[in-house]
Amino acid sequence: MTVPHLMKNLLKGLVFVLYFPIYLIQTAFGWLWNKVLEPITSWLMLRIVMPITAWVWRFLLEPLWRCVFEIPGRWLWKNLLKPLLLFIWKGIVYPFFYYILYVPLRFLWVYLLRGFYVHILKPVLRACEIAAVWIGKMLAALWRMIVVRPLRWLWRTVFLPPLSWLKKEVLKPIADQFREWFR
């Protein structure tokens, strides 16, 4: 037997010695759980634990919850918290925002800023818009006159005739010849 075969068989034996007990324990506990423990625990849960917990919740904990938390909580909300929050909103928060913030800002807008906006700022912005459109049109016309038309003339007079001649006299006959050869 050669050394590689000896090492291979030695590793197989080592893996068997280390893995087999784990596999045996896993298989045994899997069979024990699937065949013995799981049916017993599921029967216990369905027939004993679930009905007892439902009875305890329905007849002991729910009335206790209702008497200790729900009824006093509703009373506290109705008679204490809701009126307190309404007083805070109507007596403190809303008047603060209305009289301290809204009324002065509205006064500033109505008597100071609206006239400035309507009679000065709005016409100036409209004139700026007209000027920007006019400048844009002039720049576009200038671009067409300085760049686009000379490039179009250069393309049509300098590059297009030799390229069309090259296509018509050189490339098309070569393509026709290749088409004839490979039919």
Side-chain angles (χ1 to χ4, degrees), residues 12-29:
K12 280 184 180 180
L14 186 63
V15 166
F16 178 77
V17 167
L18 293 177
Y19 176 70
F20 182 71
I22 296 170
Y23 176 74
L24 183 65
I25 291 170
Q26 177 189 0
T27 305
F29 277 121

Side-chain angles (χ1 to χ4, degrees), residues 110-131:
V110 169
Y111 293 106
L112 296 176
L113 298 175
R114 185 172 60 182
F116 174 74
Y117 172 74
V118 169
H119 298 294
I120 296 171
L121 193 61
K122 202 171 178 182
V124 168
L125 289 175
R126 179 69 181 135
C128 289
E129 178 188 6
I130 292 169

Side-chain angles (χ1 to χ4, degrees), residues 148-167:
V148 174
R149 284 188 180 175
L151 284 177
R152 188 179 338 156
W153 177 85
L154 187 68
W155 174 258
R156 286 184 180 173
T157 58
V158 175
F159 294 114
L160 194 58
L163 288 176
S164 62
W165 177 85
L166 180 72
K167 177 185 168 191

Side-chain angles (χ1 to χ4, degrees), residues 88-104:
I88 290 172
W89 172 252
K90 288 181 180 177
I92 298 170
V93 175
Y94 180 76
F96 172 77
F97 281 106
Y98 185 76
Y99 293 112
I100 303 298
L101 293 176
Y102 175 72
V103 170

Side-chain angles (χ1 to χ4, degrees), residues 32-168:
L32 182 67
W33 173 256
N34 289 333
K35 300 295 181 186
V36 178
L37 295 176
E38 196 270 330
I40 292 172
T41 55
S42 65
W43 184 86
L44 284 173
M45 289 297 289
L46 287 174
R47 304 283 185 227
I48 296 172
V49 174
M50 296 292 283
I52 289 175
T53 53
W55 184 85
V56 166
W57 172 256
R58 185 170 179 193
F59 293 108
L60 297 177
L61 296 177
E62 190 176 7
L64 183 68
W65 168 265
R66 192 167 272 200
C67 292
V68 172
F69 294 111
E70 186 178 349
I71 294 171
R74 286 185 182 186
W75 183 85
L76 277 173
W77 171 255
K78 183 180 176 186
N79 296 325
L80 186 67
L81 289 175
K82 189 175 177 183
L84 178 68
L85 292 173
L86 282 173
F87 169 75
I88 290 172
W89 172 252
K90 288 181 180 177
I92 298 170
V93 175
Y94 180 76
F96 172 77
F97 281 106
Y98 185 76
Y99 293 112
I100 303 298
L101 293 176
Y102 175 72
V103 170
L105 289 176
R106 178 161 167 72
F107 177 80
L108 282 173
W109 171 254
V110 169
Y111 293 106
L112 296 176
L113 298 175
R114 185 172 60 182
F116 174 74
Y117 172 74
V118 169
H119 298 294
I120 296 171
L121 193 61
K122 202 171 178 182
V124 168
L125 289 175
R126 179 69 181 135
C128 289
E129 178 188 6
I130 292 169
V133 168
W134 183 80
I135 289 171
K137 286 181 180 180
M138 289 300 118
L139 287 175
L142 192 63
W143 174 263
R144 281 192 303 269
M145 295 298 283
I146 292 175
V147 176
V148 174
R149 284 188 180 175
L151 284 177
R152 188 179 338 156
W153 177 85
L154 187 68
W155 174 258
R156 286 184 180 173
T157 58
V158 175
F159 294 114
L160 194 58
L163 288 176
S164 62
W165 177 85
L166 180 72
K167 177 185 168 191
K168 186 173 133 185

